[in-house]
């Protein structure tokens, strides 16, 4: 009788190696939880909004039966209900620990042209119109976004741009996703370094970290301390944040017991911004139901008032009327879910879409009663800073 074959050792990868191995067309995701690099498509996930989590669970079950080890569903979902989705079960998945701070990545070495879309005065006019809607109707909050088109002389080096984002802030939720559509003449890549965890699930433990209310980071400690104090004391920013935290808590309360919602927000920082933050956690009532997978929770939460508004339907319709550029995947979701339902999904902010020589950056600002159009324009300019720094164009907004 032959003895059973010894189990094959699981490959051990380093986060830096996964980042170095990224190529356009791959799926890359990293956070404090770890790094994931996936290549190829074992199976696409085609389903209507609201049914994606069930479809993903069924495909993952079938893939496990077929003998694929440790599969995941990974990809991105757009902002609007009819927006596209890039969800797939990758053919090859590699995991590593979280990325670590290391030396700087060489600059991209391009001469860039920068075009705002829409023009700044068009954006401030839209904010003023939104304030009229808030004053005269049922709208209480709306997030209005704008774009920057940054164009170089050669195709953008996406792996180097991703590496610069990861090295600038290893604690961020960094991602790069192929979002090419049929008929696209070139690869389209959605990439970014989001500070906002939409939802994470580990076993029965669920965590969300909504952000709303912001100030740009300054160059010295004294000014940063002043801005943090100002942010914590701002009635306008605290009201904006309260809308988001309340909705996230209400949605997670449908799935969770023992929900922990902080009574007061705290301030967290990125290399370019300060944000009001509430870390909300709970314990799932039923962790075995596909309707409580990380993807299902993410779709139930999306879109939060941090990227849309209150009430959701009215805010989304008003965004469609006031924003001249389609958001696509901006303000949507990006992340992964495994067969157990565990996973992590973030809001696609501090992001850009790369097509050949052009990088389209996105940034938005929350508008509530008391907002100032010029201040909201300045806030979006500061939020462009994450990608502009990576491109070597800090201050170009």
């Amino acid at each position: 009788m032959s003895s059973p074959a010894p189990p094959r050792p699981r490959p051990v990868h380093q986060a830096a190696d996964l980042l170095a191995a990224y190529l356009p067309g791959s799926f890359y995701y990293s956070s404090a939880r770890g790094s994931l690099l996936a290549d190829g498509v074992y199976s696409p996930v085609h389903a209507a909004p609201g049914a994606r989590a069930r479809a993903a669970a069924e495909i993952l079950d079938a893939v496990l039966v077929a003998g694929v080890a440790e599969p995941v569903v990974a990809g991105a979902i757009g902002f609007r209900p009819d927006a596209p989705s890039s969800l797939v079960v990758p053919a090859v998945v590699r995991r590593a620990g979280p990325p670590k701070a290391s030396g700087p990545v060489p600059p991209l070495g391009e001469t860039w042209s920068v075009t705002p879309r829409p023009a700044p005065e068009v954006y401030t006019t839209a904010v003023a119109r939104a304030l009229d809607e808030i004053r005269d109707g049922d709208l209480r909050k709306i997030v209005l976004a704008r774009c920057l088109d940054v164009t170089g002389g050669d195709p953008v080096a996406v792996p180097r741009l991703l590496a610069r984002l990861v090295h600038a802030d290893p604690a961020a939720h960094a991602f790069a996703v192929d979002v090419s559509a049929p008929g696209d003449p070139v690869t389209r890549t959605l990439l970014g370094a989001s500070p906002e965890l939409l939802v994470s699930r580990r076993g029965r433990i669920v965590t969300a970290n909504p952000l709303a209310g912001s100030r740009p980071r300054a160059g010295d400690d004294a000014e940063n301390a002043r801005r943090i104090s100002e942010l914590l004391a701002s009635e306008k920013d605290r009201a904006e944040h309260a809308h988001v935290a309340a909705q996230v808590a209400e949605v997670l309360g449908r799935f969770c017991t023992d929900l922990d919602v902080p009574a007061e927000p705290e301030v967290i920082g990125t290399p370019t911004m300060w944000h009001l933050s509430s870390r909300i956690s709970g314990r799932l009532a039923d962790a075995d139901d596909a309707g409580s997978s990380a993807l299902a929770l993410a779709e139930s939460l999306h879109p939060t008032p941090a990227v849309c508004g209150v009430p959701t339907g009215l805010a989304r319709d008003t965004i469609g009327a006031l924003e001249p550029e389609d958001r696509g995947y901006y303000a949507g979701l990006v992340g992964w879910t495994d067969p157990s339902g565990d996973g992590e999904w973030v809001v696609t902010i501090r992001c850009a879409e790369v097509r050949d020589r052009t990088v389209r950056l996105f940034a938005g600002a929350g508008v509530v009663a008391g907002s100032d159009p010029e201040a909201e324009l300045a806030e979006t300019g500061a939020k462009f800073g994450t990608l502009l720094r990576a491109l070597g164009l800090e201050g170009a907004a």
Side-chain angles (χ1 to χ4, degrees), residues 92-107:
V92 178
V93 177
R94 289 164 281 177
R95 295 175 183 264
K100 299 177 181 178
S102 61
V105 178

Side-chain angles (χ1 to χ4, degrees), residues 63-375:
V63 167
L64 282 172
V65 171
V68 177
E70 300 183 337
V72 298
V73 166
I77 298 171
F79 171 69
R80 294 192 63 83
D82 57 352
S85 150
S86 71
L87 298 180
V88 300
V89 177
V92 178
V93 177
R94 289 164 281 177
R95 295 175 183 264
K100 299 177 181 178
S102 61
V105 178
L108 298 179
E110 281 277 3
T111 299
W112 306 96
S113 65
V114 180
T115 305
R117 300 189 186 279
E121 61 272 17
V122 175
Y123 179 79
T124 54
T125 297
V127 173
R129 289 177 59 192
L131 287 168
D132 290 341
E133 295 282 344
I134 291 170
R135 184 186 64 245
D136 298 336
D138 296 326
L139 189 64
R140 286 179 282 157
K141 176 186 176 180
I142 184 172
V143 179
L144 290 180
R146 65 187 183 104
C147 306
L148 288 182
D149 280 351
V150 180
T151 304
D154 297 306
V156 176
V158 175
R160 191 183 299 176
L161 180 56
L162 173 64
R164 287 178 64 84
L165 288 169
V166 173
H167 286 280
D169 188 3
H173 305 86
F175 53 88
V177 189
D178 184 355
V179 293
S180 304
D184 282 344
V186 295
T187 300
R188 292 167 51 202
T189 303
L190 175 75
L191 85 170
S194 176
E196 186 161 2
L197 172 66
L198 181 65
V199 67
S200 172
R201 177 185 143 166
R202 288 189 180 188
R204 299 185 72 166
I205 304 303
V206 171
T207 305
N209 193 186
L211 309 179
S214 306
R215 291 291 186 279
R217 184 186 278 269
D220 67 85
D221 292 343
E223 177 60 18
N224 278 324
R226 188 193 70 79
R227 293 184 184 188
I228 290 170
S229 296
E230 180 186 77
L231 182 57
L232 285 168
S234 167
E235 290 186 13
K236 178 261 185 189
D237 289 284
R238 290 176 72 94
E240 181 183 342
H241 184 82
H243 284 309
V244 183
Q247 188 190 63
V248 170
E250 189 276 325
V251 173
L252 291 184
R254 303 173 200 164
F255 301 88
C256 294
T257 59
D258 306 318
L259 198 65
D260 181 16
V261 184
E264 295 286 328
E266 61 180 359
V267 174
I268 65 169
T270 74
T272 59
M273 299 293 296
W274 298 108
H275 297 285
L276 288 179
S277 163
S278 291
R279 193 166 183 86
I280 299 169
S281 61
R283 186 174 178 84
L284 286 174
D286 183 359
D288 297 325
D289 181 8
S292 61
S293 70
L295 176 55
L297 295 171
E299 283 210 279
S300 297
L301 288 164
H302 174 61
T304 74
V307 292
C308 185
V310 180
T312 302
L314 177 58
R316 191 150 50 184
D317 289 345
T318 307
I319 287 169
L322 294 181
E323 288 185 6
E325 305 293 335
D326 183 75
R327 290 187 173 188
Y329 286 95
Y330 165 69
L333 318 175
V334 64
W336 59 273
T337 296
D338 69 16
S340 71
D342 286 1
E344 191 165 277
W345 294 84
V346 298
V347 183
T348 49
I349 55 175
R350 309 301 185 275
C351 67
E353 188 173 295
V354 181
R355 298 193 198 193
D356 194 37
R357 299 183 301 112
T358 298
V359 185
R360 170 162 284 192
L361 286 61
F362 299 88
V367 180
V368 295
S371 290
D372 174 71
E374 292 296 333

Side-chain angles (χ1 to χ4, degrees), residues 15-16 19 28-35 96-101 166-167 169-172 174:
L19 180 59
Y28 176 89
Y29 180 91
S30 66
S31 71
R33 184 167 176 168
S35 301
K100 299 177 181 178
V166 173
H167 286 280
D169 188 3

